[in-house]
């Protein structure tokens, strides 16, 4: 039984293999599924059978390849031999084809010439036939209707003059149409260029959209506003369609037939030169509106479009040399006119429109073969004028921003407000980002406004660079140079003027320093902004860098200097409140009120300075202490002060002690040791000398580097001692009767003499 089942499996597997070999692969699935549906291990035996069958087929394929291998090699060898002969045959066929084409070219040309001659012959025969029919009428009316040759010349010349007058009046319409068509073609070419499929342009055709132009025989242009708009949208008009040139052709033909062509040519050229000069004269108010410039350009373009048509439609009436001479004369005049009138304009929008008109004007005439390089050179001058008007406009914008600023950190209560600020200005601070709302950003509201306006200026400057046929690198360079002018000249000037304004106090100056620090850090983002616009890498050779860093550093240094100045001025105001009783017998036992107020002011001021860079705050603090010490010293040595008592010296010493305590309290962090206290060292040694009355030590150690009173100048000590000597004389009327007072007075006089000796020695 088992053997029968085995035979059945083998037979079934054989059938399935034959079915797989002979059936489409799409039908194999159901066949294989029948094997796997069997619950026994039939599929394993089938796989073994399948492997045996595959090995058999592989052996058969190998035998077949071996059998045909030599034949295949022989066939390839024969094919390689044939290839050489085929290449020779191809060369012979190519050469035969070339000779055949050359031989046929002459035959083709002769055939075309025969066709042309036959057409001429047919036209001549037709003309003769028609003239024969006219002979009877001409014979009858010859002496009654044909005018004299002189009359013919006179009539044709009259028509020509009418034509010249008409074309002078209506050349602006011809020019307007030509410039409109040039602008339409530029727009079309730009669109095509964006699709990377720029075609070859042909000589311009002038399309009149929205109205039609027709003409009368004398060259008058008629604006037909009643024409059907749908019919005129597709109308293509050339200069010949806009103007009837028949009076020129007729007059030229008559004068040529009569042998007087040269006279006609000279007359025509002379009249057109006169008209050219009239066309080139601008209206006095041309610079006030863009329409004034547009009319001026239209007239000039119309004039030269007409001359270009005459050049190509007649043989020699005008020559390329004549039109070139006219254009060169006109170009010099045009440049002079535009240079003068553009200088009157202070509106950047009007200058920008003028630039666009010049570009269209130049492109239009360039299409007719006129050289316009000087016009594009002029555009660089107009660009400078445009930049000047932009700088003036943005100077007003900057001043308004500074005037409206509150010079306080920007408060943000929500994440939306925070995101709004950082979307306008590239601010990144990890510590502030971690803070909870509400919080404050260190800069004031003018910072994002200034940054935004600089970007707006770059956009405005970029508008002028459009359609100038300049490379991206040149445009990038233009933008960077104009932006540098904005930063180094306009913005810097506004900042410097702001810093010097009387109402700008210490708090505002501190905020200005913080603001300029953040603007300086944002300069790299302006660099990236320009790079993204122009697609010119900043690593490109000769790329101009932005000078914003120096601008904001200069402004910051000016603000720092102004802080030092205003701080010293405030100290002077407190000093002026001092009211010492210089003849007091003893001190009050406490520091003067004005000095305590001054020190409290300095403490609160230096707390505001915590947001400043460390060096700035330290310099301001040191400057204030030095100025205070100098002012106190000058108060003691004031020549108007004649007498000082020891009690006043003691009171003054109490005030200096408060100054020293303030200096030692580290009002601004970062000072090493007693550096700040050294600002008062001159006062301290001078007061110690008088308080202790230690003249013997001073005189004995004078000039020694280890002297206790090294900072006391003999002249200073002498001046103060003489003020005290006078006080002793006044307050001690009976001092000559008391031995101690007489001894003290003698000591003072002795010290005075020795001090004078030292002073004289120093001066000599």
């Amino acid at each position: 039984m088992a053997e029968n089942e085995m035979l059945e499996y083998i037979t079934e597997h054989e059938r399935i293999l034959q079915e797989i070999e002979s059936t489409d692969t799409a039908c194999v699935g159901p066949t294989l599924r029948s094997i796997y549906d069997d619950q026994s291990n039939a599929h394993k035996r089938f796989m073994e059978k399948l492997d045996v069958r595959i090995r058999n087929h592989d052996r058969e394929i190998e035998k077949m390849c071996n059998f045909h291998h030599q034949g295949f090699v022989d066939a390839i060898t024969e094919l390689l031999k044939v290839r050489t002969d085929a290449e020779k045959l191809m060369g012979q066929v190519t050469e035969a084809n070339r000779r055949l084409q050359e031989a046929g070219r002459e035959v083709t040309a002769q055939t075309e010439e025969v066709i042309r001659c036959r057409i001429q012959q047919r036209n001549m025969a037709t003309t003769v036939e028609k003239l024969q029919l006219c002979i009877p009428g001409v014979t009858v009316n010859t002496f009654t209707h044909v005018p004299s040759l002189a009359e013919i010349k006179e009539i044709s010349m009259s028509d020509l003059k009418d034509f010249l007058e008409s074309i002078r009046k209506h050349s602006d319409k011809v020019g307007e149409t030509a410039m409109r068509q040039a602008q339409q073609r530029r727009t079309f070419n730009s669109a095509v260029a964006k699709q990377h499929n720029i075609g070859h342009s042909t000589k311009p055709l002038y399309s009149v959209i929205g109205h039609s132009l027709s003409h009368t025989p004398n060259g008058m242009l008629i604006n037909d506003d009643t024409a059907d708009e749908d019919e005129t949208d597709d109308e293509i008009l050339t200069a010949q369609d806009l103007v009837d040139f028949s009076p020129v052709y007729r007059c030229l033909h008559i004068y040529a037939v009569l042998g007087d062509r040269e006279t006609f040519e000279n007359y025509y050229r002379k009249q057109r030169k006169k008209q050219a000069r009239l066309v080139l004269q601008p209206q006095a108010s041309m610079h006030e509106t863009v329409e004034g410039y547009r009319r001026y350009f239209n007239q000039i373009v119309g004039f030269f479009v007409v001359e270009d048509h005459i050049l190509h439609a007649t043989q020699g009436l005008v020559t390329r040399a004549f039109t070139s001479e006219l254009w060169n004369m006109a170009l010099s005049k045009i440049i002079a006119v535009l240079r003068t009138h553009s200088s009157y304009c202070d509106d950047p929008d009007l200058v920008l429109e003028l630039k666009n008109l010049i570009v269209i004007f130049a492109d239009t005439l360039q299409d007719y073969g006129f050289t316009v390089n000087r016009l594009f050179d002029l555009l660089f001058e107009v660009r400078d004028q445009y930049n000047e008007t932009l700088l003036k406009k943005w100077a007003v914008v900057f001043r308004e921003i500074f005037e409206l600023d509150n010079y306080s950190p920007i408060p943000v209560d929500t994440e939306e407000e925070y995101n709004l600020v950082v979307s306008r200005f590239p601010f990144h601070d990890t510590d502030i980002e971690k803070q909870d709302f509400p919080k404050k950003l260190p800069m004031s509201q003018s910072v994002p406004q200034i940054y935004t306006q600089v970007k707006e200026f770059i956009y405005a400057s970029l508008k002028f660079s459009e359609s100038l046929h300049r490379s991206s690198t040149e445009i990038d360079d233009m933008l960077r140079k104009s932006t540098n002018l904005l930063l180094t000249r306009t913005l810097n000037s506004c900042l410097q003027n702001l810093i010097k304004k009387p109402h700008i106090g210490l708090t505002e100056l501190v905020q200005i320093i913080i603001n300029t620090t953040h603007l300086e850090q944002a300069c790299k983002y302006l660099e990236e902004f320009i790079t993204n616009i122009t697609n010119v890498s900043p690593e490109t050779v000769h790329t101009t860098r932005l000078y914003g860093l120096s601008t904001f550093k200069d402004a910051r240094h000016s603000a720092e200097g102004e802080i030092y100045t205003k701080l010293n001025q405030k100290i002077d105001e407190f000093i002026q409140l001092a009211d010492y009783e210089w003849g007091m017998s003893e001190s009050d036992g406490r520091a003067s009120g004005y000095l305590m107020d001054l020190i409290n002011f300095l403490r609160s001021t230096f707390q505001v300075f915590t947001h400043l860079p460390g060096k700035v705050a330290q310099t301001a603090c040191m400057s204030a202490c030095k100025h205070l010490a100098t002012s106190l010293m000058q108060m003691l040595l004031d020549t108007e002060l004649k007498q000082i008592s020891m009690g006043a010296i003691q009171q003054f010493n109490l005030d200096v002690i408060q100054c020293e305590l303030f200096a030692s309290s580290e009002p601004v962090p970062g000072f090493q040791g007693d550096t700040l206290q050294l600002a008062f060292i001159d006062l301290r040694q001078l007061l110690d000398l008088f308080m202790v009355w230690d003249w013997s030590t001073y005189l004995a150690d004078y000039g020694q580097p280890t002297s206790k009173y090294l900072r006391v100048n003999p002249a200073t000590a002498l001046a103060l001692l003489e003020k005290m000597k006078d006080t002793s004389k006044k307050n001690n009327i009976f001092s000559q009767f008391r031995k101690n007072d007489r001894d003290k007075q003698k000591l003072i006089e002795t010290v005075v003499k020795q001090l004078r000796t030292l002073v004289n020695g120093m001066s000599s």
Side-chain angles (χ1 to χ4, degrees), residues 613-662:
K615 293 293 183 182
V616 178
Q618 291 173 16
T619 303
C621 187
M622 177 59 77
S623 172
C625 289
K626 286 183 176 181
H627 185 73
L628 175 57
T630 302
S631 299
L632 291 174
M633 181 69 79
Q634 290 174 348
M635 191 184 303
L636 277 180
L637 303 179
D638 186 5
T639 55
E640 298 296 323
L641 178 61
K642 303 299 183 181
Q643 297 175 344
I644 301 178
S645 66
M646 183 56 70
I649 292 292
Q650 294 169 350
Q651 180 64 42
F652 204 80
N653 182 62
L654 292 176
D655 294 344
V656 173
I657 290 174
Q658 290 299 320
C659 294
E660 292 171 325
L661 290 174
F662 167 74

Side-chain angles (χ1 to χ4, degrees), residues 117-132:
C117 290
R118 286 183 178 178
I119 292 173
Q120 289 181 350
Q121 185 181 19
R122 185 184 62 193
N123 292 342
M124 291 171 64
T126 302
T127 303
V128 169
E129 181 183 351
K130 300 300 181 183
L131 288 175
Q132 290 292 341

Side-chain angles (χ1 to χ4, degrees), residues 21 28 51 202 229 239 258 265 295 338 489 505 525 534 568 608 689 734:
E21 290 173 341
V28 172
D51 288 338
T202 58
E229 187 170 325
L258 297 177
E265 290 178 357
R295 284 193 298 270
L338 293 178
R489 199 172 79 184
Y525 297 101
T534 61
N568 291 344
V608 177
L689 175 60
F734 302 102

Side-chain angles (χ1 to χ4, degrees), residues 314-352:
T314 63
Q315 295 182 354
L317 177 56
V318 296
T319 62
R320 176 60 69 183
F322 173 76
T323 55
S324 296
E325 179 187 353
L326 271 182
W327 171 242
N328 290 331
M329 179 271 292
L331 190 57
S332 298
K333 179 68 175 177
I334 292 167
I335 290 174
V337 167
L338 293 178
R339 186 176 285 141
T340 300
H341 281 260
S342 64
S343 65
Y344 299 146
C345 183
D346 56 2
D347 180 6
D349 294 333
L350 180 56
V351 178
L352 186 61

Side-chain angles (χ1 to χ4, degrees), residues 293-498:
Y293 287 110
R294 183 175 284 112
R295 284 193 298 270
Y296 182 67
F297 288 133
N298 286 344
Q299 291 177 355
I300 297 172
V301 170
F303 177 91
F304 283 99
V305 166
V306 169
E307 286 308 291
D308 179 81
H309 179 80
I310 294 294
L311 172 67
H312 291 89
T314 63
Q315 295 182 354
L317 177 56
V318 296
T319 62
R320 176 60 69 183
F322 173 76
T323 55
S324 296
E325 179 187 353
L326 271 182
W327 171 242
N328 290 331
M329 179 271 292
L331 190 57
S332 298
K333 179 68 175 177
I334 292 167
I335 290 174
V337 167
L338 293 178
R339 186 176 285 141
T340 300
H341 281 260
S342 64
S343 65
Y344 299 146
C345 183
D346 56 2
D347 180 6
D349 294 333
L350 180 56
V351 178
L352 186 61
E353 290 189 86
L354 171 60
K355 165 257 172 182
N356 292 331
L357 282 177
I358 294 176
V359 171
I360 299 172
F361 173 74
D363 286 348
T364 304
L365 289 171
Q366 190 175 38
D367 288 334
Y368 283 92
F370 296 103
T371 304
V372 295
N373 292 339
R374 292 174 62 190
L375 284 174
F376 284 103
D377 292 339
L378 173 68
L379 283 174
F380 283 97
E381 298 181 32
V382 178
R383 181 200 64 193
D384 294 338
Q385 174 68 16
Y386 177 70
N387 283 336
E388 286 298 323
T389 58
L390 286 182
L391 292 174
K392 291 179 181 177
K393 178 179 179 180
W394 257 260
V396 176
V397 172
F398 289 150
R399 284 197 294 269
E400 289 179 352
I401 290 175
F402 289 140
E403 288 174 2
L404 297 176
D405 195 6
N406 58 9
Y407 297 98
S408 300
I410 300 176
V412 286
D413 297 331
T414 63
E415 186 173 357
E416 289 75 14
E417 293 181 6
Y418 178 83
N419 292 334
L420 179 62
V421 175
V422 297
S423 67
R424 298 169 57 204
F425 180 77
F427 174 77
H428 306 285
D429 190 302
T430 306
D431 294 335
I432 293 180
E433 290 174 358
K434 293 178 180 178
Q435 294 177 6
D436 295 330
F437 291 100
K439 52 189 173 184
K440 291 184 177 182
L441 306 184
M443 65 278 190
S444 67
Q445 63 186 11
S446 65
V447 171
Q449 293 173 350
I450 291 292
Y451 183 80
T452 301
Q453 285 302 320
V454 173
K455 292 171 64 175
E456 290 296 324
F457 175 89
I458 294 173
Y459 277 129
S461 182
L462 177 65
K463 288 182 180 179
F464 195 92
S465 302
E466 296 172 351
S467 306
L468 285 187
H469 312 304
R470 298 291 171 180
S471 67
S472 298
T473 303
E474 290 176 300
I475 294 175
D476 183 88
D477 189 61
M478 292 179 192
L479 285 182
R480 292 176 184 274
K481 287 181 178 178
S482 59
T483 306
N484 277 333
L485 281 176
L486 178 74
L487 296 176
T488 60
R489 199 172 79 184
T490 305
L491 182 55
N492 185 53
S493 175
C494 291
L495 282 169
Q496 297 293 344
N497 292 335
L498 172 69

Side-chain angles (χ1 to χ4, degrees), residues 510-575:
V510 170
Q511 188 62 56
I512 289 173
I513 291 176
I514 296 171
N515 289 351
T516 52
T517 301
H518 286 283
L519 286 171
E520 178 183 340
Q521 294 170 352
C523 280
K524 63 179 181 180
Y525 297 101
L526 290 177
E527 294 262 11
E528 294 176 1
F529 179 70
I530 295 177
T531 298
N532 292 335
I533 290 177
T534 61
N535 292 322
V536 176
S537 173
E539 285 75 25
T540 302
V541 181
H542 304 311
T543 298
T544 304
R545 310 299 296 182
L546 291 185
Y547 303 144
L549 297 178
S550 61
T551 295
F552 298 121
K553 283 181 180 177
D554 292 344
R556 191 159 55 252
H557 291 160
S558 297
E560 292 168 5
E562 196 66 19
I563 283 179
Y564 308 148
T565 300
K566 287 187 179 296
L567 200 54
N568 291 344
Q569 290 174 350
K570 199 67 179 178
I571 291 173
D572 292 340
E573 292 176 8
F574 280 99
I575 293 292

